[in-house]
Amino acid sequence: MVREDGKRNFVMLEDGEKTKQFTGEMPRQAALKAARRLEGYESYDSESEAEQNPTEIRLLERGTDRVHVYHAWAWEDSAPDTKPDWMEDNDVSTVTRGNVSKQGIEHIDT
């Protein structure tokens, strides 16, 4: 269901349970947010290494019967030279990056 500001809410499904909620104008935007919060990405130093072990994420679009299915992966990367002041102040040297590949849409029975 689309909000007045054009954003939609998606809930991550893990083992049939609704866990975390992500918001985005498009399903991919929410999936990228979810990918950056994956567990176990700390051991990957490059995207190509992380892409070899994708995690399937399933995002239920609130107000619909659509489940967007993605393969997602994340890795740690060095912070950009143009990082914001708050990253400088907290001495942050790495950032988490994520990527996704859409596998399809499933419809749940209501």
Side-chain angles (χ1 to χ4, degrees):
M1 183 172 257
V2 180
R3 301 184 329 195
E4 287 182 17
D5 61 1
K7 295 188 178 181
R8 304 186 304 201
N9 294 318
F10 301 89
V11 178
M12 184 180 282
L13 297 176
E14 294 179 294
D15 299 325
E17 298 290 319
K18 297 176 181 176
T19 56
K20 305 168 192 142
Q21 179 170 313
F22 299 96
T23 303
E25 291 182 17
M26 302 298 284
R28 186 172 191 275
Q29 186 178 23
L32 287 169
K33 291 177 184 180
R36 287 192 304 272
R37 290 164 180 79
L38 289 174
E39 303 273 333
Y41 68 85
E42 298 87 0
S43 61
Y44 301 121
D45 295 325
S46 68
E47 179 178 9
S48 60
E49 186 180 340
E51 188 176 4
Q52 299 302 315
N53 299 300
T55 301
E56 182 180 89
I57 59 173
R58 304 166 64 76
L59 297 174
L60 171 65
E61 187 172 347
R62 286 273 173 118
T64 70
D65 66 345
R66 291 181 289 214
V67 177
H68 300 268
V69 181
Y70 289 89
H71 281 171
W73 56 94
W75 67 98
E76 282 198 351
D77 199 1
S78 58
D81 293 334
T82 58
K83 58 187 173 185
D85 291 338
W86 66 267
M87 287 179 81
E88 287 284 349
D89 295 342
N90 293 324
D91 204 25
V92 176
S93 60
T94 62
V95 293
T96 303
R97 300 200 187 271
N99 205 350
V100 294
S101 173
K102 189 154 192 174
Q103 302 303 302
I105 296 176
E106 297 175 359
H107 296 274
I108 57 172
D109 297 327
T110 54

